[in-house]
Amino acid sequence: MQRAPKIDRARRNALKAAGLVVGAVLTTAIPHKQASAQSQPGSAGGDSILDFFRDILRDLFRHNNGSGGNSGPSKDGSCFARGTLVRTRAGYRPVETLAAEDEVAVRFGGFAPIKTMIGHTVNSVAGKWDTNPGNLPVVIRRGALGENMPSADLCLTAQHAVYVDGFLVKAGDLINGTSIFLKAVDGQESLDFFNIELESHDIVEVQGACFESLYKQGTERCALLGFNGGRSRLRSHMRSVASLVIDRRQPIDVIRDRLDEQGLGLAQAA
């Protein structure tokens, strides 16, 4: 009875892997072909693509007990969009109304005082958000992380980590196109975002779900899962495809697959 969901999971991941491969071919073949034409006119110019696939195949069935690729310290802020409701001692409050010394609910200490609130604005230019990838706005739909988690749609930056199944995972690495997706401009000129910095890194309760506080390099951080570029993402999808035969998925693969399936269920129920 479990075969059909596994097949569906493998099919979805195969399609996403194919999309990554096509993108990799287009981005590596053209520059390499141009360079080859200038330096070695008779060269086939395919080494970079062959290396890409050899790397993927070599990794595919290698047993790895790692966390799925810790991407290291973030260079982007862990930011919530204006209007996001954060749990405080006085109940839920919009993030933009919080200030230093206000106490927010945290996973590892009951309530903790805010050290600093920092805001920034992301503007739209020519129908796109004018910012680096880590600060792109991501929408997490109601129930995307579990039953009533979050309790309402919210928006945060792609580099902002979500606490799910005992791990921190960057929101941008959980995008599935249904329940977690990049926010379209839709005529908006700007979006305001706000950081919540505590004395130490922690997990903050926001609209019934858990997200990290602002992380700064050099401070202690909970286990973070993430992808290191396109090859890392492709390996992840290929592990999920191969799980039909042998399941060597890493924690980030399992989390992404579960939320992907849950997102499809939410979309069908809508």
Side-chain angles (χ1 to χ4, degrees):
M1 295 295 292
Q2 296 299 315
R3 187 69 177 176
K6 289 183 178 180
I7 292 174
D8 289 341
R9 179 181 71 211
R11 184 183 299 114
R12 290 194 301 270
N13 279 282
L15 290 172
K16 291 176 181 179
L20 287 171
V21 169
V22 171
V25 170
L26 290 175
T27 56
T28 60
I30 295 175
H32 190 88
K33 188 173 182 180
Q34 291 173 341
S36 298
Q38 293 174 0
S39 59
Q40 298 178 357
S43 172
D47 290 346
S48 60
I49 299 172
L50 291 175
D51 288 343
F52 180 87
F53 286 110
R54 277 196 295 264
D55 191 25
I56 298 303
L57 291 171
R58 183 169 56 248
D59 179 78
L60 180 55
F61 289 106
R62 181 187 301 162
H63 188 61
N64 187 340
N65 291 320
S67 65
N70 191 319
S71 61
S74 169
K75 294 182 180 179
D76 301 286
S78 303
C79 310
F80 298 105
R82 178 182 294 275
T84 303
L85 299 178
V86 180
R87 187 183 169 207
T88 71
R89 283 194 182 276
Y92 281 99
R93 289 176 52 188
V95 65
E96 67 271 17
T97 69
L98 300 179
E101 303 303 325
D102 287 339
E103 294 188 326
V104 295
V106 294
R107 184 173 180 83
F108 303 119
F111 289 87
I114 294 173
K115 178 180 179 181
T116 308
M117 290 293 300
I118 305 170
H120 77 275
T121 299
V122 174
N123 298 307
S124 64
V125 176
K128 295 181 180 180
W129 297 115
D130 185 25
T131 187
N132 61 64
N135 274 325
L136 286 173
V138 173
V139 175
I140 298 182
R141 295 284 305 278
R142 175 183 178 183
L145 306 175
E147 186 175 357
N148 214 36
M149 297 171 55
S151 56
D153 294 359
L154 60 81
C155 180
L156 70 171
T157 50
Q159 199 77 2
H160 200 152
V162 182
Y163 188 73
V164 56
D165 295 350
F167 294 97
L168 283 173
V169 188
K170 293 178 291 184
D173 288 336
L174 295 175
I175 290 173
N176 54 34
T178 53
S179 59
I180 304 174
F181 50 89
L182 288 173
K183 181 176 177 61
V185 171
D186 289 335
Q188 291 179 279
E189 294 184 357
S190 62
L191 282 174
D192 295 328
F193 287 94
F194 300 86
N195 293 317
I196 298 175
E197 183 182 359
L198 307 177
E199 285 293 340
S200 59
H201 186 253
D202 212 318
I203 309 300
V204 181
E205 184 178 333
V206 178
Q207 295 183 193
C210 294
F211 302 85
E212 69 172 342
S213 62
L214 177 64
Y215 170 73
K216 287 195 171 182
Q217 187 172 354
T219 60
E220 186 177 354
R221 192 180 203 176
C222 305
L224 175 69
L225 308 183
F227 299 123
N228 295 310
R231 294 188 185 192
S232 177
R233 291 176 185 274
L234 181 55
R235 292 188 192 107
S236 175
H237 287 302
M238 293 305 293
R239 285 192 296 266
S240 291
V241 173
S243 66
L244 271 175
V245 179
I246 181 169
D247 196 345
R248 287 182 174 169
R249 291 178 298 163
Q250 297 176 11
I252 192 170
D253 311 328
V254 175
I255 292 170
R256 184 207 55 226
D257 288 343
R258 179 178 71 80
L259 298 187
D260 188 17
E261 183 176 352
Q262 188 166 310
L264 291 172
L266 291 173
Q268 292 169 358

